[in-house]
């Protein structure tokens, strides 16, 4: 899947640029994007270290396990393949909580920790497990209670009601998450994706 | 009313992280965790994980940048507009719908540009804001998360995530037409 999308974006982009005469522009855009990617990752090192450090303390202090226990009924249904006591449950919950609070980079750091934990359950390295796919479905449609960036931009643009979109945002991101998780669950049963797993 | 809600939201956001950090450290200390040693041990992983993501992110961000800068994105929008207009989808929000899963900063740009052009409290302004807040930068998230564990066969993750994006965008358009239209 990723192979085709990648090929499609690059091939369509380069062929289009040939017609629109933007060869120089796409060269520059490609180099800039490569640079941005590295800068993003370097910028992530500090915050990753901070949260993974704190998570380690929370884990050894039993905090993560307590959170996981509280949410067990929901999590067990969403992730039947992950043992309820597994650390992945706790780190996934921390990530979801951070996303709810709109903590951006912190949520990413905690999400990556969750992926590492899920990977420890992966019998086929290099291939996503069903639990990983469900977790990604939740993450790519992350529900935010307070979309702080959007509210800030609206206020900056002179809006009389910068927070008026909280309700509509909540409705549409909840819809997105339900659809994404349902699709992931249904596709997980499809023959095509099951075969890869077993 | 909304002013006070906004300041409450900001207050909550600025308190959240310090309070969480304090709680983790204090509870750790009470439970006799060697908090400093544990922190350093956990933090060490931060470096490895961040570095591991780089090649995946370069791949995906370069492809998206080429696609956008070539003008292919604009063509796609122009082609889709006449199909979607009868469904109640204003063509003005198409750039947002298409760019949101591909590029977070791109979507932010489209949104601020739209707020300036149409006004933040117009139907289009509210619609763009709702779309911005209701989905994630899907390709970036997939590249980073799967990259961190070197997963290359992502199975049904992308179709599921994209279905979510489509549903979120469609719901944003619908609900904004109902609430603000």
């Amino acid at each position: 899947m990723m192979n085709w999308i990648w090929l499609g974006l690059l091939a369509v982009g380069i062929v289009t640029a040939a017609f629109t005469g933007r060869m120089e522009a796409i060269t520059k855009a490609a180099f800039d994007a490569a640079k941005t990617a590295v800068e993003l990752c370097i910028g992530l090192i500090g915050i990753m270290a901070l949260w993974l450090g704190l998570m380690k303390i929370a884990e050894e202090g039993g905090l993560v396990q307590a959170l996981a226990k509280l949410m067990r009924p929901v999590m067990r249904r969403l992730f039947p393949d992950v043992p309820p006591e597994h650390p992945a449950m706790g780190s996934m919950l921390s990530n979801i909580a951070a996303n709810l609070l709109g903590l951006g980079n912190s949520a990413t750091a905690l999400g990556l920790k969750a992926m590492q934990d899920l990977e420890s359950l992966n019998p086929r390295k290099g291939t996503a497990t069903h639990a990983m796919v469900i977790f990604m479905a939740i993450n790519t449609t992350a529900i935010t209670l307070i979309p702080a960036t959007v509210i800030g931009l609206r206020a900056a643009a002179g809006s009389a009601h910068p927070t008026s979109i909280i309700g509509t945002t909540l409705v549409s991101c909840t819809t997105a998450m339900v659809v994404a998780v349902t699709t992931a669950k249904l596709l997980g049963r499809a023959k095509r994706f099951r075969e890869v797993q077993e | 009313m909304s002013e006070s809600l906004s300041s409450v939201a900001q207050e909550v956001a600025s308190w959240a992280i310090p309070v969480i950090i304090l709680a983790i450290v204090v509870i750790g200390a009470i439970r006799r965790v060697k908090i400093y040693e544990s922190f350093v041990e956990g933090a060490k992983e931060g470096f490895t994980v961040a570095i591991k993501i780089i090649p995946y992110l370069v791949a995906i961000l370069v492809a998206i940048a080429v696609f956008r800068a070539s003008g292919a994105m604009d063509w796609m929008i122009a082609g889709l507009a006449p199909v979607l207009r009868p469904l109640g989808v204003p063509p003005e929000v198409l750039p947002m719908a298409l760019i949101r899963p591909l590029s977070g900063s791109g979507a932010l740009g489209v949104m601020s540009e739209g707020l300036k052009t149409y006004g933040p409290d117009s139907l289009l302004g509210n619609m763009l804001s709702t779309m911005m807040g209701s989905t994630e930068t899907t390709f970036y998230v997939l590249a980073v998360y799967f990259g961190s564990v070197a997963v290359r066969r992502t199975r049904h993750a992308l179709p599921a995530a994209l279905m979510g994006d489509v549903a979120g965008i469609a719901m944003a358009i619908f609900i904004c037409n109902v609430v603000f239209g």
Side-chain angles (χ1 to χ4, degrees):
Chain A
M1 192 75 172
M2 274 319 270
N3 281 311
W4 288 109
I5 301 235
W6 203 62
L7 175 68
L9 288 172
L10 282 175
V12 172
I14 292 169
V15 171
T16 308
F19 282 106
T20 52
R22 295 195 193 166
M23 280 311 199
E24 234 165 283
I26 61 163
T27 309
K28 187 179 178 307
F31 289 171
D32 284 349
K35 204 173 143 214
T36 309
V38 176
E39 283 165 0
L40 274 170
C41 292
I42 302 293
L44 208 57
I45 294 178
I47 195 150
M48 283 292 305
L50 173 62
W51 279 110
L52 292 183
L54 287 169
M55 277 292 285
K56 189 86 187 169
I57 300 177
E59 225 177 277
E60 292 182 2
L63 270 177
V64 177
Q65 295 84 332
L67 181 68
K69 205 168 186 178
L70 202 71
M71 294 295 294
R72 190 180 289 174
V74 183
M75 294 300 275
R76 192 153 38 179
R77 192 151 296 177
L78 276 173
F79 301 98
D81 316 329
V82 180
E85 307 290 342
H86 197 271
M89 288 295 201
S91 47
M92 284 194 288
L93 276 168
S94 321
N95 161 266
I96 293 167
N99 268 325
L100 274 174
L101 295 171
L103 299 184
N105 276 339
S106 307
T108 307
L110 296 168
L112 294 183
K113 166 91 168 79
M115 285 303 276
Q116 309 277 325
D117 291 340
L118 287 174
E119 175 71 1
S120 71
L121 291 168
N122 192 353
R124 291 176 57 119
K125 306 294 174 200
T127 300
T129 62
H130 190 55
M132 284 178 179
V133 173
I134 300 281
F135 180 60
M136 290 312 301
I138 293 175
N139 240 280
T140 53
T141 54
I143 293 184
T144 309
L145 289 179
I146 302 151
T149 316
V150 176
I151 294 172
L153 271 173
R154 291 172 59 79
S159 166
H161 310 286
T163 53
S164 63
I165 45 82
I166 288 184
T168 50
T169 303
L170 203 56
V171 170
S172 54
C173 60
T174 310
T175 311
M177 183 178 290
V178 171
V179 169
V181 172
T182 311
T183 310
K185 285 267 178 200
L186 291 177
L187 285 180
R189 285 190 210 142
K191 209 173 170 193
R192 184 174 160 214
F193 295 111
R194 209 172 37 206
E195 277 170 355
V196 192
Q197 174 77 341
E198 260 127 27
Chain B
M1 173 60 202
S2 65
E3 285 303 309
S4 65
L5 190 64
S6 157
S7 60
V8 167
Q10 266 168 10
E11 209 51 8
V12 169
S14 61
W15 276 72
I17 296 188
V19 167
I20 291 170
I21 293 179
L22 184 69
I24 290 175
V25 177
V26 168
I27 293 176
I30 292 173
R31 301 269 178 103
R32 301 195 183 279
V33 175
K34 289 190 176 137
I35 51 174
Y36 183 74
E37 280 87 342
S38 296
F39 181 88
V40 172
E41 196 192 319
K44 268 182 205 156
E45 283 172 49
F47 189 83
T48 342
V49 174
I51 297 301
K52 227 193 261 176
I53 303 166
I54 292 179
Y56 295 88
L57 209 53
V58 170
I60 201 76
L61 291 192
V62 166
I64 290 167
V66 167
F67 188 73
R68 280 190 61 196
S70 69
M73 187 83 168
D74 304 328
W75 284 3
M76 205 165 145
I77 289 162
L80 283 171
V83 186
L84 294 174
R85 206 193 300 259
L87 300 172
V89 181
E92 291 90 338
V93 302
L94 272 180
M96 182 57 144
L98 290 178
I99 214 165
R100 186 71 191 96
L102 296 176
S103 158
S105 55
L108 221 55
V110 170
M111 181 189 147
S112 17
E113 201 186 320
L115 291 187
K116 213 182 297 164
T117 316
Y118 314 116
D121 298 316
S122 64
L123 173 62
L124 284 172
N126 280 315
M127 212 177 258
L128 289 173
S129 312
T130 302
M131 288 162 101
M132 181 71 207
S134 58
T135 60
E136 260 288 348
T137 315
T138 301
F139 284 87
Y140 167 84
V141 174
L142 286 177
V144 166
Y145 279 47
F146 280 133
S148 72
V149 290
V151 161
R152 273 160 289 114
R153 283 176 298 274
T154 59
R155 295 174 70 220
H156 46 308
L158 189 63
L162 287 180
M163 277 297 284
D165 287 341
V166 171
I169 298 284
M171 184 48 105
I173 293 167
F174 173 76
I175 195 84
C176 285
N177 273 322
V178 171
V179 175
F180 303 111

